[in-house]
Amino acid sequence: MKAVGRFPIPALAWLMAVSGLGAKEVVSEVSPTELATVSADRVNVRARASLVGERVTQLRKGDKVTVLAKVTVAPPRDGEPADWLKIAMPAAGQTWVNIGFVKEGKVTASKLNVRAGGGERFSIVGRLAKGDVVKEKRVAGDWIEIEHPPGAHAYIAAQFVTLGQAEAAEEPKPENTPEAK
């Protein structure tokens, strides 16, 4: 049996199958960003384009989102949608950084991962660079919840969103008055 590094090939194939690493994401950037409307009630917004991604918030029918990219996961896991939209982090979502890399409201590391929760096990939803300013919302242990930095993102299943401008409000009809006639 041929080994790659320390792992035999069958073990690597098994790891890929179990972990979903075999799935590929195909990202199509949307330029410029596009406004969209949530078309269903109580739609989960996730940190990854997968049902196993952490839920960062929930949106209601009629809520507006900014679409950054269209994402297709091929092949999708059983029972999961293949088409997702990468969106700007909604206001109700959470973004966190490790307190050890922030001093006096500025990032001290050359690159700092912004995460969906207070811990390394949470998905990365953005990145900051050295010197970037962070606005603290609250502290929990070694983590700081911060205001969303530019570029913070999340994912929503495309089937629950109507792309394009929100349904235009009907134009008011003129009243039946002598001036309107």
Side-chain angles (χ1 to χ4, degrees):
M1 178 178 343
K2 188 173 181 181
V4 176
R6 296 184 342 190
F7 297 103
I9 291 175
L12 285 174
W14 178 82
L15 277 172
M16 287 177 65
V18 170
S19 68
L21 291 176
K24 299 188 182 353
E25 273 188 21
V26 178
V27 178
S28 170
E29 295 294 324
V30 175
S31 183
T33 58
E34 193 172 344
L35 185 64
T37 305
V38 177
S39 59
D41 200 27
R42 294 207 217 138
V43 177
N44 290 328
V45 177
R46 299 190 176 274
R48 295 187 302 170
S50 170
L51 295 180
V52 297
E54 306 94 302
R55 187 180 84 178
V56 296
T57 191
Q58 203 171 63
L59 297 176
R60 300 224 169 280
K61 187 173 186 172
D63 286 347
K64 309 292 185 261
V65 295
T66 301
V67 177
L68 306 173
K70 297 174 184 176
V71 177
T72 300
V73 177
R77 291 183 174 157
D78 287 342
E80 286 197 353
D83 296 321
W84 294 80
L85 298 175
K86 180 179 178 181
I87 61 173
M89 181 66 73
Q94 294 184 358
T95 49
W96 295 77
V97 294
N98 188 289
I99 200 168
F101 299 103
V102 177
K103 187 173 182 180
E104 297 174 8
K106 290 190 179 180
V107 175
T108 59
S110 58
K111 292 180 188 173
L112 180 59
N113 292 331
V114 177
R115 296 187 178 269
E120 287 186 12
R121 71 182 184 283
F122 290 94
S123 297
I124 296 169
V125 295
R127 288 201 168 75
L128 293 168
K130 188 172 188 169
D132 284 350
V133 175
V134 294
K135 294 185 182 174
E136 179 183 314
K137 291 170 92 175
R138 67 182 168 122
V139 176
D142 292 339
W143 294 84
I144 308 170
E145 182 183 0
I146 61 170
E147 287 185 12
H148 306 316
H153 61 273
Y155 296 86
I156 189 168
Q159 69 195 43
F160 301 121
V161 175
T162 303
L163 289 173
Q165 290 296 328
E167 298 83 42
E170 287 186 25
E171 289 187 32
K173 295 179 183 173
E175 293 181 28
N176 196 7
T177 63
E179 295 84 21
K181 291 179 182 175

